């Protein structure tokens, strides 16, 4: 009997014996680590979709406010009422920026400078969009979650300095040897061509340099000249463009959004302007409206800043062009040759780089037409021959460059908004219901808010940044930023 | 045995002779007492009652017909006191005069959740005397749960147990959230552990985010659908009793799972069943279901904006015809003139509108009178029908018992085309193999099947969402009669051309609106969902009885189930997949427990007894889910992964966890009136750091029956006990929180990509810890005609596991920390009153009341608010220094005197920052049940509800925005723009009183900027149950072939009393901690029907 009891006890003890508890707790649902070629596709999709996608930045932010588009329902931002939860790209911090930062760290650890350099270019790109939208930002103390939970904000000026330094470093960092570790897969922009990434780095440096013409011309000149001499985009083949795919889930975000929603139409400002300049790109940028009488269908925009129910019935309003809205595999741009040519035109006009401003200017327009599939030189030359288009050196030329850039940056609303805030061209008139707080707006918004949560999670630092820049609050959208030279 | 009988009989005879008792002449003849034990309420025979004559040390158990037969020792004369005991009933005592060889004595037992003398099942399935318990536990008999049928056994506890709060979802077969003594974990589990026959079972509920599958689905989340909490599967007809171990003290032996108390179910077995005869018990019920409450709609203005509507294509092709709101023309039966003449364009308060009388009132069906259809929403809901049946057969012999039960519930819901079924098969048995060895086992198979369930939570496929945004002139019958548009009709052609979203190769639903809403009947008939849960749970146990006082039990139990959910979205369903698609989710969960328990029960001295339990447990939890999603079909109507246009989304996800435990308890009793308890448990969990995975959980307690100890028993104070206990227990941790893995980014052309983790892990994680103390008293007055039970408690939960939000500028959006403290304090009162107890008439009242005060004492350094969940711009939060469950959103700006501040345009202005608008926790909850029995009739009814607390109602918030609710008539009493609305008691920013008349539409549209107009007092009381039963006379039931038959008329959710109209404030759309928000709530079913039950 006694051994029976013992054997029962032994069996009971055995089933409750401490097995290996630690290995059970290894998470099987994802990799503990990943290499940059596996991370890069996420970063690129995040940055292209994030900057030029539908909500907050392009269509509901910058592009709406430079009056490319208008909200045809839920017309809040069009009335300068920024919905809560909207920021100037704060989500990049724990999205693409953190991933790009990890690519840099992994590149340094693995002695693979191309990983580092590509991460550096993309991180710089995202930071430039964020600072142009919001102003001062956590930079030097950012992305250090395990040690710094309350990062201080750096001034926009110092962020610009860092971005110039980073892009210069990236330019010299690329390893062009055939044996160099790079991106055999995962490079959705350039298929592993480090030469093109290098041009992207320099072109971005040129873009950022020209942002500073108003506030620090000397710095702008020095950086622009350095960027151009280091080598910038030389043709549309160099464009930093993501070619979306025809099949889900890699379709362009404008197409995707339009499958389920219908929130945006074309702005009257943009459509009327292109009509008056007989711009052949209008049928690319906009669709005919859905007038019930087919013969009457035309391109028509909706005035910005109206209440629901105001303005014509919505079938009279053109939607965003079929090029994006009805084409799943439409390209979307981060930076194009056309823009680089405009930047060079402006730099040349200012005498900062060699070359003819007029040539750069004509090339820029030419490249833009080509980019949208308009290759007929007769058509392009006819457009260029218009008196208002034909380049006139001097102050008029700078205005022409700015206007033409506004037209050509359609669907890159954030960069366009930055340039409009810098150049004040074109002079845009806010819609009738557009208000800042209590009053009718006389100018377009100057910035997007900081993340709502910063007021709770990083209160002292965001308060200091708000004070340093003279904002009324962290969601102040009326106060100009440093780069505009009007702060 | 024959020999023994002779021996004992001789011994007894000798003994009686020795002590000088007269030994009767017919001393050799055994006297038997037999009879039936019945409930006081309804006179239902009770199976499994232990009837004993304590003075003679004999006992018997009632069979399925409630009959017992007690053989008294030979020579017993005079009178004898019999007691009858059963879990869930007050112990009955009768005095029997032994007037012949065979005496008939029926016994009536009074049901009650508050017991003074009964046996209760406690943690680990250990049975104990109520009088020895040092903590609060309340037991309810299974009959109480099934008197009025419900599909969720958890919701049947509502109002029946003090300290328990149940929140039901209105979804058919939907979930019920149960919380005992308040929320103590900020982001973790707040529901009690559920235990069936000593084996913990799973009570997960699939989360419900609303807004169905869009983008990357989250594991375990079905947008909009509520498929019920897993514990709802347990068939009420199989439950013998349920004991609520109310707090950490009572549940302390469950260690890391004890913080929220435990609900312990004991299922019916064959014990006490008859050894001969057919032994069949059957219950049958038929109930009809109708909506208890629907929103309070206005019936004066139809679809449109600013007084105008003209249907062309229902998608903004005509004047305001895309509007899904009711700000249109007055519904005065006009057939023309729904738009203004072209010259009258000004939208102004008070201006006379010049309608174009030449222009017909075009509507979605053509030209017709512009008239109200006040019942257009009620018409949509059908009368539901629920039929439930359960048949059980049980047999027992001296050494063996077995019970087989088969149950089936069929429901055709109020939502058209919705059907829900549950099948439940339970088999249990036990055997005494030898004097030392015994064994028992049970298996239970459950199948739930729900077809075409309605979605809720404000999903576009939630039918109520389509009635929040509605044209009040819409005749729902037309939508029922016409599901599809004729493909050749001009409007279909126009829709096809005008909106490229819609597919030409599939029928277009016929609807009142083509911009936002498909026809609700089309959704219920064409957009189908199919859900099934298959579940098996069971256990086997072997006991070896070493000697009189020592036994060892080994036990193994498993709960396993699989959820299979499929939602098909046909082409042209607007949302979520316009081009057709589907979501398919499979989930498998299991919990396996292997344990042993050694029980020693010894009388040390005549006055001192000791019970020791020691045991160990190994638990393993496994979870696997797989999901497939297609967001665009190539061929309409073919719902396969291969038919996906583009790469379908697929996901596998799994978690595993293991906990080893050793535990023990000691209970020292002195003279049956003082008990001291000590328990301890040590858990080793796989979810904790390797070198810190061991945690110890102790408890101590004492119970003192002072009436017995001090001799205070009197006719008015019949019983008195005080008790106190202290414990420190835990709240379980989830796996994989010590280290992070990379997340999956969107694959590019099928090639995967990864993204850095977003949550900073915590390699030093500890479980949450709850320290609880309670004191209480159980008192019986007037021979226990009034029983009172009172408990005060406090529990503090520290080491909260919080993924606190951190500034995203750190590269992470959250970090897992162990920090923060939540305190719950409360008072629970329960009373059982028997004002009248006469042979023919009996009246019993059961009252339960509890008040819990919650406070978030601290969170994390520098963090004053944790967001528990959000919905439509309202955050449910934990704020330092305030009760858990604040509802936080935007409020209207106010001046120092509290007046609403309006702008120059007369519209209120939202505050600059979010404020606390309310809190979802009630001030108190309570329930009262009255039962009357008169001869063969019995009538009972229960009220329960809550006082205080707030709810954020999106139905109300958007129903006001869209102008469909009755209160939006304010400002348009005369016409759509007359007389205009003046915000009451408002001032301009300069302090002057507001006199600006604004258009009703502008006023209510402006409410979008604040959530304050969506917050309401959640106080409600419901007539939860009523039952009128009649027990057939014995000759009639015997004629029918049964010993007993009862028929009853029953009703559930019969009346609702609430401080505000439009919604049922008892609202939930899942069982998460995000409560107090209501989103397109489905109507609660009011059910009325009949039940029948027969016994052999």
């Amino acid at each position: 009997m006694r051994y029976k009891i013992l054997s029962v006890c032994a069996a009971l003890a055995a089933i409750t014996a401490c097995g290996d508890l630690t290995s059970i707790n290894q998470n099987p649902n994802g990799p503990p680590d990943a290499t940059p070629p596996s991370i890069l596709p996420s970063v690129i999709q995040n940055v292209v979709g994030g900057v030029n996608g539908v909500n907050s930045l392009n269509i509901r932010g910058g592009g709406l406010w430079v009056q490319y588009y208008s909200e045809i329902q839920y017309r809040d931002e069009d009335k300068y009422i920024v919905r809560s939860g909207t920021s100037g790209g704060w989500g990049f911090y724990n999205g693409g920026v953190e991933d790009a930062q990890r690519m840099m760290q992994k590149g340094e650890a693995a002695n693979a400078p191309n990983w580092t350099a590509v991460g550096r270019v993309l991180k710089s790109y995202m930071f430039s969009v964020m600072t142009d939208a919001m102003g001062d930002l956590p930079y030097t103390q950012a992305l250090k979650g395990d040690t710094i939970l309350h990062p201080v904000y750096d001034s926009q000026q110092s962020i610009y300095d860092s971005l110039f330094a980073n892009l210069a470093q990236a330019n010299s960092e690329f390893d062009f040897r055939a044996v160099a570790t790079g991106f055999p897969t995962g490079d959705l922009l350039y298929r592993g061509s480090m030469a093109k990434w290098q041009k992207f780095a320099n072109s971005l440096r040129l873009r950022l340099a020209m942002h500073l013409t108003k506030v620090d011309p000397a710095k702008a000149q020095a950086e622009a000249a350095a960027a151009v001499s280091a080598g910038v985009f030389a043709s549309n083949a160099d464009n930093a463009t993501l070619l979306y795919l025809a099949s889900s889930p890699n379709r362009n975000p404008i197409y995707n959004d339009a499958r389920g929603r219908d929130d945006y139409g074309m702005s009257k400002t943009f459509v009327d302007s292109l009509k008056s300049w007989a711009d052949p790109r209008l049928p690319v940028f906009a669709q005919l409206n859905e007038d019930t009488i087919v013969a009457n269908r035309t391109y028509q925009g909706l005035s910005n800043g109206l209440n629901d129910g105001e303005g014509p019935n919505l079938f009279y309003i053109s939607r965003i062009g079929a090029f994006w809205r009805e084409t799943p595999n439409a390209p979307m741009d981060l930076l194009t040759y056309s823009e680089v040519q405009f930047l060079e035109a402006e730099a040349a006009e200012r005498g900062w780089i060699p070359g003819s401003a007029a040539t750069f200017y004509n090339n820029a327009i030419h490249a833009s037409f080509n980019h949208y599939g308009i290759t007929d030189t007769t058509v392009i030359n006819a457009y260029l021959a218009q008196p208002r288009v034909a380049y006139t050196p001097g102050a008029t030329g700078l205005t022409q460059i700015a206007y033409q850039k506004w037209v050509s940056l359609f669907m890159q609303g954030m960069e366009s908004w930055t340039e409009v805030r810098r150049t004040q061209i074109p002079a845009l008139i806010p819609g009738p219901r557009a208000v800042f707080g209590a009053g009718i707006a006389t100018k377009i918004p100057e910035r997007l808010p900081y993340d709502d949560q910063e007021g709770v999670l990083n209160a002292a630092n965001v308060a200091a940044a708000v004070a340093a820049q003279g904002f009324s609050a962290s969601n102040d959208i009326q106060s100009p930023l440093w780069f505009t030279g009007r702060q | 045995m024959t020999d023994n009988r002779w021996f004992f009989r001789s011994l007894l005879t000798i003994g009686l002779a020795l002590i000088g008792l007269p030994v009767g002449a017919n001393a050799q003849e055994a006297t038997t007492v037999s009879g039936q034990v019945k409930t006081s309420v309804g006179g239902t025979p009770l199976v499994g009652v232990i009837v004993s004559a304590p003075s003679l040390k004999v006992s018997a158990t009632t069979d399925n017909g409630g009959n017992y037969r007690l053989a008294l020792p030979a020579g017993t004369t005079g009178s004898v006191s019999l007691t009858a005991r059963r879990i869930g009933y007050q112990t009955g005592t009768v005095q029997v005069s032994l007037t012949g060889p065979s005496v008939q004595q029926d016994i009536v037992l009074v049901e009650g959740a508050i017991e003074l003398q009964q046996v209760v099942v406690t943690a680990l399935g250990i049975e104990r005397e109520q009088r020895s318990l040092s903590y609060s536990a309340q037991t309810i008999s299974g009959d109480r749960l099934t008197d009025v049928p419900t599909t969720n056994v958890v919701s049947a506890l509502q109002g029946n147990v003090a300290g328990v709060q149940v929140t039901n979802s209105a979804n058919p077969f939907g979930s019920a959230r149960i919380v005992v003594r308040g929320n103590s974990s900020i982001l973790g589990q707040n529901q009690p552990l559920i235990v069936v026959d000593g084996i913990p079972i799973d009570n997960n509920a699939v989360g419900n985010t609303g807004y169905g599958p869009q983008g990357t689905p989250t594991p375990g989340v079905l947008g909009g659908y509520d498929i019920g909490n897993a514990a709802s599967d347990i068939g009420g007809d199989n439950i013998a009793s349920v004991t609520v171990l109310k707090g950490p003290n009572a549940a302390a032996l469950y260690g890391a799972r004890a913080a929220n108390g435990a609900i312990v179910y004991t299922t019916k077995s064959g014990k006490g069943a008859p050894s001969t005869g057919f032994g069949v018990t059957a219950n049958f019920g038929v109930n009809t279901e109708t909506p208890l409450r629907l929103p309070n709609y206005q019936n004066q203005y139809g679809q449109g904006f600013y007084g105008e509507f003209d249907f062309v294509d229902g998608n903004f092709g005509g004047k305001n015809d895309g509007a899904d709101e009711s700000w249109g023309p007055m519904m005065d039966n006009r057939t023309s003139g729904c738009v203004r003449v072209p010259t009258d364009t000004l939208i102004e308060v008070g201006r006379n509108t010049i309608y174009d009388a030449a222009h017909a009132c075009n509507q979605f069906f053509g030209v017709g009178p512009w008239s109200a259809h006040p019942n257009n929403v009620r018409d949509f809901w059908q009368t539901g029908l629920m039929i439930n049946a359960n048949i059980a057969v049980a047999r027992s012999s001296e050494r063996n018992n077995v019970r087989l039960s088969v149950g089936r519930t069929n429901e055709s819901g109020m939502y058209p085309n919705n059907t829900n079924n549950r099948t439940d098969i339970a088999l249990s048995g036990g055997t005494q193999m030898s004097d030392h060895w015994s064994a028992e086992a049970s298996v239970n198979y459950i199948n739930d099947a729900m077809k075409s369930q309605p979605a809720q939570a404000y999903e576009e496929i939630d039918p109520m969402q389509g009635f929040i945004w509605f044209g009040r002139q819409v005749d729902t019958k037309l939508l029922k009669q016409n599901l599809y548009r004729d493909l050749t009709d001009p409007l279909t052609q126009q829709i096809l051309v005008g909106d490229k979203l819609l597919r030409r190769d599939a029928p277009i639903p016929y609807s009142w609106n083509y911009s936002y809403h498909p026809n609700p009947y089309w959704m219920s008939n064409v957009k189908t969902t199919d859900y099934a849960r298959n579940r098996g749970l069971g256990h086997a146990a072997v006991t070896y009885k070493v000697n009189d006082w020592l036994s060892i039990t080994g036990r193994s139990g498993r709960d396993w189930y699989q959820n299979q959910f499929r939602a098909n979205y046909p082409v042209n369903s607007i949302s979520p997949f316009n081009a057709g698609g589907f979501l398919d989710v499979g989930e498998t969960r299991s919990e396996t427990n292997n344990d042993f328990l050694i029980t020693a029960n010894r009388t040390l001295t005549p006055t001192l007894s000791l019970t020791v339990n020691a045991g160990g447990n190994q638990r393993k939890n496994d979870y696997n889910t797989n999901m497939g999603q297609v967001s665009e079909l190539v061929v309409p109507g073919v719902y396969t992964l291969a038919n996906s246009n583009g790469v379908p989304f697929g996901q596998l996800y799994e978690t595993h966890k293991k906990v080893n435990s050793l535990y023990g308890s000691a209970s020292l009793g002195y003279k049956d009136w003082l008990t001291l308890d000590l328990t301890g448990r040590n858990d080793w969990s796989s979810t904790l750091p390797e070198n810190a995975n061991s945690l110890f959980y102790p408890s101590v307690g004492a119970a003192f029956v002072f009436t017995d100890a001090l001799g205070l028993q009197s006719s008015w104070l019949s019983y008195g006990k005080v008790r106190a206990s202290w414990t420190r227990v835990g709240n379980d941790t989830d796996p994989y929180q010590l280290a992070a893995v990379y997340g999956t980014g969107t694959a590019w052309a099928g090639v995967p990509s990864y993204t850095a983790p977003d949550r900073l892990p915590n390699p030093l994680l500890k479980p949450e810890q709850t320290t609880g103390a309670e004191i209480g008293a159980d008192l019986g007055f007037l021979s226990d005609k009034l029983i009172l039970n009172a408990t005060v408690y406090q529990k503090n939960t520290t080491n909260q596991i919080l993924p606190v939000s951190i500034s995203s500028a750190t590269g992470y959006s959250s970090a897992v920390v162990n920090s923060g403290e939540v305190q719950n304090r409360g008072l629970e009162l329960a009373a059982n009153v028997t004002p009248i107890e006469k042979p023919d008439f009996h009246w019993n009242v059961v009252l339960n009341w509890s008040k819990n005060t919650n406070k978030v004492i601290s969170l994390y350094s520098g963090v004053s608010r944790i967001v528990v969940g959000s919905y439509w711009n309202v955050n449910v939060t934990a704020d330092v220094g305030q009760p858990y469950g604040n509802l936080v959103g935007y409020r209207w700006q106010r001046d120092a005197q509290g007046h609403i501040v309006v702008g120059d345009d007369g519209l209120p202005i939202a505050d600059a920052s979010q404020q606390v608008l309310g809190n979802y926790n009630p001030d108190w909850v309570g329930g009262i049940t009255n039962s009357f029995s008169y001869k063969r009739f019995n009538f009972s009814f229960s009220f329960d509800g809550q006082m205080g607390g707030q709810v954020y109602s999106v139905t109300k918030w958007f129903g006001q925005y869209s102008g469909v609710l009755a209160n939006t008539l304010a400002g348009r009493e005369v016409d759509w723009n007359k007389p205009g609305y003046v915000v009451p008691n408002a001032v301009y920013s300069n302090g002057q009183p507001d006199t600006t008349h604004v258009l009703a539409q502008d006023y209510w549209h402006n409410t979008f900027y604040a959530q304050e107009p969506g917050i309401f007092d959640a106080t409600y009381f419901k007539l939860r149950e009523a039952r009128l039963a009649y027990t057939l006379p014995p000759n009639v039931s015997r004629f029918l072939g049964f010993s007993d038959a009862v028929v009853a008329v029953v009703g559930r959710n019969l009346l609702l009393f609430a401080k505000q109209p439009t919604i049922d404030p008892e609202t939930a759309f899942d069982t998460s901690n995000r409560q107090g928000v209501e989103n397109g709530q489905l109507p609660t079913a009011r059910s009325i029907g009949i039940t029948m039950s027969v016994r052999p």
Side-chain angles (χ1 to χ4, degrees), chain A residues 16 77 101 113 120 122 128 147 211-212 286 302 327 347 362 366 381 389 397 400 417 428 451 466:
Chain A
T16 55
E77 285 73 18
Q101 167 92 351
R120 200 184 296 283
L122 287 171
S128 75
T147 52
H211 284 175
L212 303 189
L302 178 70
T327 313
N362 287 339
H366 210 102
N381 290 336
V389 179
Q400 285 174 312
W417 180 43
L428 297 167
D451 184 49
V466 166

Side-chain angles (χ1 to χ4, degrees), chain B residues 5-85:
Chain B
R5 200 184 298 157
W6 169 84
F7 175 75
F8 281 116
R9 211 174 274 162
S10 314
L11 210 63
L12 191 69
T13 312
I14 294 162
L16 290 172
L18 281 176
I19 57 172
L21 285 177
V23 178
N26 46 2
Q28 299 302 313
E29 242 179 280
T31 299
T32 59
V33 183
S34 61
Q36 197 180 28
V37 183
K38 294 181 172 188
T39 58
S40 66
V41 173
T44 315
L46 278 169
V47 64
V49 181
I50 299 166
V51 181
S52 62
S55 61
L56 301 172
K57 299 196 187 307
V58 290
S59 68
T61 310
T62 58
D63 64 16
N64 258 6
N67 299 306
Y68 72 95
R69 189 165 184 282
L70 198 61
L72 300 186
T76 316
T77 57
S79 76
V80 64
S81 173
L82 296 187
T83 63
R85 297 177 159 204

Side-chain angles (χ1 to χ4, degrees), chain A residues 1 4-5 8-9 12-13 15-22 24-34 38-39 41-42 45 73-74 76 79 81 84 90 93-94 98-99 102 106 138 141-146 148-151 188 242-245 247-251 255 258-261 287 290 292 297 308-309 313-315 326 451 453-454 456-458, chain B residues 305-306 316-320 437 494 497-498 500-501 516 544 546 552-554 574 578 594-596 616-618 631-632 645-647 652-662 684-688 690 693 735-736 738 740-742 745-750 752-758 760 805-813 860 862 873 890 961 1008-1009:
Chain A
M1 180 50 71
K4 262 194 189 172
I5 297 171
V8 169
C9 288
L12 296 175
I15 58 168
T16 55
C18 305
D20 175 18
L21 291 175
T22 308
I24 292 170
N25 207 33
Q26 301 301 314
N27 190 340
N29 298 304
D33 204 357
S38 299
I39 300 172
S42 287
Q45 291 180 74
Q73 54 174 341
Y74 306 106
D76 300 83
K79 298 188 280 184
I81 299 163
S84 70
W90 201 267
Y93 269 122
N94 57 323
E98 169 69 19
D99 284 336
R102 293 207 179 202
K106 288 171 193 300
Q141 291 192 356
L143 311 174
K144 296 183 162 83
D146 37 3
I148 300 173
L149 290 179
H150 302 102
L188 314 182
L242 178 60
L243 298 169
Y244 280 94
L245 305 180
S247 65
S248 176
N250 303 123
R251 294 165 169 169
Y255 174 87
R259 293 321 93 199
R261 300 213 57 97
Q287 299 184 57
E290 300 279 2
T292 43
R297 289 188 178 173
D308 275 339
N313 278 332
L314 296 181
F315 63 89
E326 315 303 338
D451 184 49
Q453 295 294 308
E454 282 290 282
V456 176
L457 304 176
N458 196 14
Chain B
F305 287 133
Y306 297 122
F316 295 106
K319 190 72 189 173
N320 303 329
W437 290 97
Q494 197 176 326
V497 175
K500 293 177 181 64
L501 306 184
Y516 302 105
Y544 179 76
V546 181
I552 303 168
T553 300
I574 295 187
N578 177 263
N594 294 309
D595 53 48
F596 72 91
N617 170 283
Q618 184 186 66
S631 44
E632 189 175 327
N645 194 353
V647 183
L652 301 176
Y653 183 81
E654 59 188 298
T655 66
H656 304 280
K657 173 178 177 173
K658 194 168 160 184
V659 180
N660 296 323
S661 312
L662 286 173
W684 292 265
S685 171
S686 69
T687 60
L688 301 176
E690 191 170 8
N693 65 2
Y736 315 142
L738 307 179
V741 293
Y742 272 64
T746 306
W748 187 266
S753 75
Y754 295 104
T755 171
D758 201 27
L760 202 56
S805 293
I806 55 177
S807 170
S808 301
T810 59
Y812 299 88
S813 64
Y860 178 64
N873 307 330
Y890 286 97
Y961 183 98
F1008 181 74
Y1009 299 105

Side-chain angles (χ1 to χ4, degrees), chain B residues 383-432:
Chain B
T383 299
L385 185 68
M386 186 173 87
I387 301 173
N388 65 295
N390 187 278
I391 298 177
V393 54
R395 291 289 287 273
S396 72
S397 66
E398 199 172 344
R399 284 177 170 270
N400 305 303
N401 69 80
V402 65
R403 178 176 184 271
L404 173 67
S405 156
V406 179
R408 170 82 177 177
T409 301
N410 277 12
E411 180 181 42
S412 59
M414 298 186 293
Y415 184 62
N417 206 30
N418 165 236
T419 59
N420 310 298
N421 305 314
R422 176 173 294 151
T423 308
D424 178 313
I425 302 169
L427 175 65
S428 65
T431 181
Q432 181 81 40

Side-chain angles (χ1 to χ4, degrees), chain A residues 60 65 74 131-132 134 168 208 210 246 265 380 389 422 435 479-480:
Chain A
R60 207 198 265 176
W65 291 339
Y74 306 106
T131 187
D132 289 345
M134 296 182 279
L208 298 185
M210 298 310 289
I380 301 169
V389 179
R422 171 173 72 99
V435 291
S479 299

